[in-house]
Amino acid sequence: MTEEPRLWLVRALNGEWTDDFVENGYVGIGYNLDAVDMSNVKTSDEVREIYAQENPGNTNEQSNRNRSSQIAAFHLEVKKDDFVVTPGVGGKIIRYGRFSSDDTYYVEDTDGLPCRNRRRVDWAPRILSGDDLPPTILTIQGTVRQIRNDANKAAFLELIRGYRPEDSWVPFHLEVGRKLIEGEWWSEEKRQELVDLIQRLREADPEGTTESNETYDPFNFYQAFCQRQSGQDRTECFEILRNELALDTELPDGSTKVWSINSDYRVRESLDFDQLDAFWKMLRAAFSTDPAKDDSCRKEFIDAYNRVHSTYAVRPNRWARILSTWLYLIDPRKFVYTHRFEQLGLLDDLGLDYWASGTDGDYGAGYVRALARAKELATQAGLTLLDVNRESTTREMLGLGAINGGTGDDYGVDDMVNDGLFFERDELERILDRFRDKRNLILQGPPGVGKTFVSKRLAYALMGKRADGRVVNVQFHQSYSYEEFVQGYRPTTNDRDELTFELQDGTFLRLCEKAVENPDDRYVMIIDEINRGNLSRVFGELLSLIEGDKRGDGFSVELLGGQRFSVPENVYLLGTMNLADRSLAGMDYAMRRRFAFVTLKPQFGESVFEDWLRDRDVPEAMIERINDRMSALNGVIASDASLGRNFAVGHSYFCDIADGGEDDWDRWYREIVETEIRPLLEEYWFDDLGKADGEVGKLLGEQ
């Protein structure tokens, strides 16, 4: 379990500066230290010395110790995401928020305001009354105090649970749902009014769909004002809803980012009474039950879910994903946004793969199982489902480890260098810039130069994060098909266990669907051994759409299922190609024109490779042996008319070094030569094994 954020009380003098704190996104302290930049202090002793120097007239040792300890706590102990509560004048109005960085900063010119030493805070839009908080919180003495993990902290966290600056849309959405139910907007009398309202909401978003229809189901209603992720783009819709539904809740903060229902996924066909009834019962069930907790209501919810799930012609697993978005927008405190779990890489951790694979026929029961397991995970980490649904929540906050070595942290060129990519920084930046511009890149080279290793880290750097949930790996082979990559009919069984065929999206289409839902994020498909596939057959009509200048809605084709499809601008293709495989045909010119190519070469003798070995305590004599003997071998291979430089042996064979170095470097080197390089050379010179033996002998120093 991760450490729970702490709660701090910071007084804005007598509450006089609380408004300035909130308006300008900070909290600060004075204590007669406004003339000193405290942002670089490192220890409590340093703080005490500075305080004593600046306050020579204060001879009360106890007072000096108290104030110094509070100043030290403010500068040295507060962490990013800790909560802060600040009373206003008289303690009647309370503001709260979360610290948004680990560092303090100093302001030279404050226009006469005190508190030049500050910390940045994301203040919640919600204002609390002093009567809401346990009275003992406000009686705590001092300017900066940590409220320990006791009843006071628990009461505060319970009070604000579900509210953060990014959650300002939640109360508004809850009020919208309640008004729909209280006003019985499913009734015949409300039909035309709801149709008109849906159309007004669509027209309020100039970049959303304005297509008119006569549907009046609640799914289309939510989709109409949730077509865009930006809260600013929804403001006009929010105003319309507040007026039409007589809402009392404040408008959401326009700077928030909320998951959306893509405008391509709305109910276009007219629904009969039973289908409409299913949608409205689903909405009422979402408000009246918590299926992850209420055993008595679970069946009602599952029945409603399955009825809705059976009404739409979208493929079942895709429709399940869309429904999860709708439920999340109704009440994110009770329902999970399944795409969020994919981003966090939680499918394997929780077994939440039924909506991705489409293998579970009872989608309602599958969704409830997902809810229960997700809630269990959140509870173990001291969080709620709303916490898990947030984009800011990380795997570490959930008490989980990294995904395949990734942490979800920021990732850039410096991280690539530190990970051992054996490129100079300028070269890495050039490759990354080319990848951004072209959108399609192939890493090519002989065996053992680290193409697969480089591709994953290049994807991270492009995205700016170790976001494994936005990277998809596939490996092409001679039998890899269009049906697997794009779309096709694939065998499945129906509810009577009869074999049937169902139109299903392939790997690339599923990635593109995620990218459309999250246009601000980059997505990367890594295709290992890209030249092993029949590329014209695998890509089909998408061959033209993957070009960098033919992305987006302006260029589309009609797929087998009838829908129009275009490749999103935020999807990138990254292939690897082994130049030494004799069994493969070359890539045709049409395909080559759509990719940029980067050739990776063996790094023997290069300073970046030598430095990497030294950092892992490889002896200088061994570094010299590897460089000299492997360079000589690659020279022989390059001069062989039947081989050439594309068959050179790469440096990655010597990159598997145990932490802390090896006990016997000679044994380590010999095992690599005998078990990895010898088989490769015997394959190269299969018709002259004596030559292979001779080159191995040179590597081992026997000749």
Side-chain angles (χ1 to χ4, degrees):
M1 184 186 303
T2 55
E3 182 181 354
E4 188 173 23
R6 294 167 295 183
L7 172 61
W8 298 85
L9 172 71
V10 180
R11 283 191 169 85
L13 300 180
N14 295 318
E16 302 167 19
W17 309 112
T18 299
D19 289 343
D20 190 71
F21 283 8
V22 175
E23 181 179 347
N24 292 295
Y26 75 98
V27 65
I29 60 171
Y31 274 148
N32 299 326
L33 295 179
D34 276 350
V36 183
D37 181 353
M38 301 287 290
S39 61
N40 293 315
V41 296
K42 296 294 188 296
T43 66
S44 297
D45 289 339
E46 186 180 356
V47 171
R48 282 193 290 271
E49 291 176 7
I50 294 174
Y51 182 79
Q53 292 170 5
E54 296 298 315
N55 294 274
N58 190 347
T59 59
N60 186 321
E61 292 184 4
Q62 182 63 44
S63 173
N64 286 340
R65 282 196 297 271
N66 285 340
R67 293 188 174 187
S68 295
S69 66
Q70 292 180 60
I71 297 167
F74 183 82
H75 287 281
L76 304 176
E77 297 181 30
V78 173
K79 299 297 182 185
K80 182 178 182 291
D81 284 332
D82 281 356
F83 287 97
V84 58
V85 58
T86 299
V89 177
K92 295 299 182 183
I93 294 178
I94 310 297
R95 300 304 299 258
Y96 72 90
R98 297 189 87 166
F99 292 102
S100 58
S101 73
D102 287 325
D103 303 315
T104 59
Y105 66 102
Y106 182 73
V107 180
E108 292 286 350
D109 184 8
T110 60
D111 293 328
L113 295 176
C115 306
R116 293 188 179 184
N117 288 288
R118 302 177 175 183
R119 278 187 176 274
R120 292 179 176 83
V121 174
D122 287 331
W123 294 100
R126 188 183 183 202
I127 298 175
L128 303 177
S129 165
D131 296 332
D132 292 333
L133 292 173
T136 51
I137 287 183
L138 300 182
T139 62
I140 294 175
Q141 298 298 309
T143 297
V144 180
R145 293 293 187 190
Q146 182 184 350
I147 300 173
R148 302 294 175 179
N149 190 19
D150 55 13
N152 284 338
K153 181 180 178 183
F156 171 78
L157 294 178
E158 183 63 27
L159 179 66
I160 70 163
R161 183 66 75 189
Y163 289 90
R164 283 178 62 177
E166 61 192 296
D167 299 327
S168 65
W169 64 275
V170 176
F172 188 87
H173 275 235
L174 293 175
E175 183 71 5
V176 166
R178 281 193 291 269
K179 289 291 185 178
L180 288 180
I181 293 171
E182 291 170 1
E184 298 185 351
W185 280 74
W186 56 81
S187 65
E188 185 71 24
E189 294 77 16
K190 291 279 191 177
R191 173 180 297 191
Q192 191 57 48
E193 189 175 351
L194 183 58
V195 169
D196 294 341
L197 178 56
I198 290 173
Q199 190 59 29
R200 286 182 60 197
L201 292 171
R202 287 179 177 163
E203 293 173 351
D205 182 353
E207 294 190 26
T209 178
T210 58
E211 179 182 323
S212 177
N213 58 31
E214 295 300 312
T215 58
Y216 60 106
D217 61 274
F219 175 82
N220 267 356
F221 169 76
Y222 275 85
Q223 190 276 332
F225 68 93
C226 297
Q227 298 181 73
R228 308 278 293 287
Q229 288 188 331
S230 167
Q232 189 63 47
D233 292 327
R234 298 185 183 185
T235 300
E236 188 173 347
C237 292
F238 290 151
E239 290 278 10
I240 293 172
L241 290 171
R242 183 168 63 178
N243 294 333
E244 292 295 327
L245 301 179
L247 303 179
D248 298 325
T249 312
E250 292 184 9
L251 290 180
D253 185 345
S255 65
T256 60
K257 179 181 176 182
V258 187
W259 306 113
S260 61
I261 303 177
N262 187 280
S263 60
D264 288 338
Y265 298 105
R266 59 193 185 279
V267 179
R268 297 175 176 84
E269 300 81 7
S270 297
L271 301 177
D272 60 31
F273 176 82
D274 287 340
Q275 291 171 325
L276 282 169
D277 183 60
F279 274 97
W280 285 104
K281 282 188 175 178
M282 186 74 190
L283 177 69
R284 293 196 293 272
F287 266 87
S288 63
T289 69
D290 185 345
K293 181 174 65 175
D294 301 334
D295 294 337
S296 60
C297 301
R298 189 168 296 138
K299 186 178 185 305
E300 175 188 352
F301 177 85
I302 291 174
D303 289 345
Y305 186 104
N306 284 335
R307 285 185 63 196
V308 169
H309 189 270
S310 66
T311 63
Y312 205 9
V314 176
R315 288 165 300 287
N317 54 326
R318 180 63 189 137
W319 186 217
R321 286 167 54 91
I322 298 167
L323 286 183
S324 81
T325 310
W326 179 40
L327 288 166
Y328 153 83
L329 291 169
I330 292 172
D331 190 345
R333 305 168 307 168
K334 295 192 295 188
F335 301 105
V336 296
Y337 178 59
T338 54
H339 179 58
R340 178 71 185 120
F341 282 83
E342 290 181 87
Q343 286 186 322
L344 288 169
L346 292 176
L347 298 184
D348 292 336
D349 291 275
L350 298 178
L352 305 178
D353 57 358
Y354 79 95
W355 59 77
S357 65
T359 57
D360 190 333
D362 189 347
Y363 285 87
Y367 183 75
V368 169
R369 286 197 302 271
L371 285 181
R373 299 180 73 174
K375 192 165 188 176
E376 180 183 3
L377 173 68
T379 301
Q380 289 172 353
L383 303 173
T384 67
L385 284 184
L386 178 60
D387 295 317
V388 180
N389 278 322
R390 294 189 184 106
E391 186 178 22
S392 59
T393 300
T394 65
R395 287 176 58 88
E396 288 69 31
M397 293 169 64
L398 292 168
L400 300 173
I403 312 171
N404 297 327
T407 64
D409 295 332
D410 292 343
Y411 192 93
V413 173
D414 289 337
D415 300 287
M416 296 172 76
V417 174
N418 294 334
D419 279 349
L421 263 61
F422 309 129
F423 286 93
E424 297 294 346
R425 180 186 174 87
D426 291 347
E427 179 67 6
L428 286 174
E429 289 179 340
R430 184 189 68 80
I431 295 171
L432 194 56
D433 287 342
R434 192 71 185 111
F435 191 18
R436 291 192 190 100
D437 294 340
K438 190 71 173 180
R439 289 192 171 90
N440 307 316
L441 182 74
I442 288 178
L443 303 176
Q444 63 181 6
V449 291
K451 297 182 289 295
T452 301
F453 182 83
V454 172
S455 66
K456 193 65 171 286
R457 282 142 188 86
L458 189 59
Y460 289 156
L462 177 81
M463 298 183 297
K465 285 185 177 295
R466 289 182 180 266
D468 290 79
R470 288 190 265 139
V471 180
V472 173
N473 285 83
V474 297
Q475 184 165 0
F476 280 5
H477 50 78
Q478 287 87 341
S479 300
Y480 198 83
S481 67
Y482 175 90
E483 289 75 15
E484 293 173 276
F485 192 66
V486 182
Q487 188 184 72
Y489 284 96
R490 305 178 73 176
T492 185
T493 56
N494 59 23
D495 54 5
R496 296 188 298 276
D497 291 329
E498 297 171 335
L499 180 65
T500 183
F501 286 85
E502 180 182 282
L503 184 62
Q504 295 184 16
D505 287 345
T507 308
F508 185 62
L509 251 63
R510 292 198 297 271
L511 177 70
C512 290
E513 287 171 348
K514 293 181 184 180
V516 168
E517 293 172 357
N518 301 280
D520 295 332
D521 295 330
R522 287 173 171 155
Y523 288 77
V524 180
M525 170 162 280
I526 298 176
I527 306 174
D528 272 329
E529 308 289 358
I530 188 170
N531 55 331
R532 286 184 176 273
N534 183 331
L535 300 182
S536 297
R537 180 172 180 267
V538 172
F539 281 89
E541 69 271 39
L542 301 192
L543 189 61
S544 62
L545 299 186
I546 64 173
E547 286 194 65
D549 60 352
K550 291 183 175 60
R551 301 293 186 89
D553 295 336
F555 300 87
S556 64
V557 296
E558 183 174 313
L559 298 180
L560 185 62
Q563 77 269 33
R564 303 295 299 182
F565 172 78
S566 59
V567 179
E569 295 184 0
N570 56 330
V571 168
Y572 296 76
L573 294 175
L574 180 56
T576 68
M577 182 186 295
N578 186 351
L579 296 177
D581 197 323
R582 293 186 176 93
S583 65
L584 304 179
M587 181 181 288
D588 66 50
Y589 293 116
M591 198 69 179
R592 282 185 172 276
R593 187 170 58 80
R594 288 160 171 80
F595 286 84
F597 288 79
V598 172
T599 301
L600 306 186
K601 301 176 181 178
Q603 294 294 305
F604 302 117
E606 298 293 334
S607 60
V608 286
F609 180 58
E610 293 177 353
D611 291 342
W612 187 87
L613 292 174
R614 290 189 185 98
D615 289 342
R616 283 145 186 84
D617 299 323
V618 179
E620 287 295 329
M622 181 55 68
I623 295 176
E624 184 177 349
R625 182 192 303 181
I626 293 170
N627 282 332
D628 291 349
R629 296 182 184 180
M630 292 304 300
S631 296
L633 171 63
N634 282 338
V636 172
I637 292 173
S639 62
D640 191 309
S642 64
L643 296 174
R645 63 182 182 180
N646 288 341
F647 290 79
V649 181
H651 52 273
S652 64
Y653 288 99
F654 297 93
C655 290
D656 186 9
I657 301 173
D659 293 339
E662 297 287 341
D663 295 331
D664 186 343
W665 288 103
D666 287 329
R667 176 190 54 78
W668 170 79
Y669 174 81
R670 175 175 288 274
E671 287 182 352
I672 292 173
V673 172
E674 288 285 7
T675 65
E676 299 182 56
I677 297 178
R678 177 189 285 276
L680 180 66
L681 298 184
E682 290 177 347
E683 174 65 22
Y684 283 177
W685 289 298
F686 66 95
D687 55 350
D688 188 358
L689 293 181
K691 185 172 182 62
D693 288 338
E695 293 302 324
V696 170
K698 294 177 184 178
L699 292 177
L700 296 177
E702 297 172 352
Q703 294 187 22

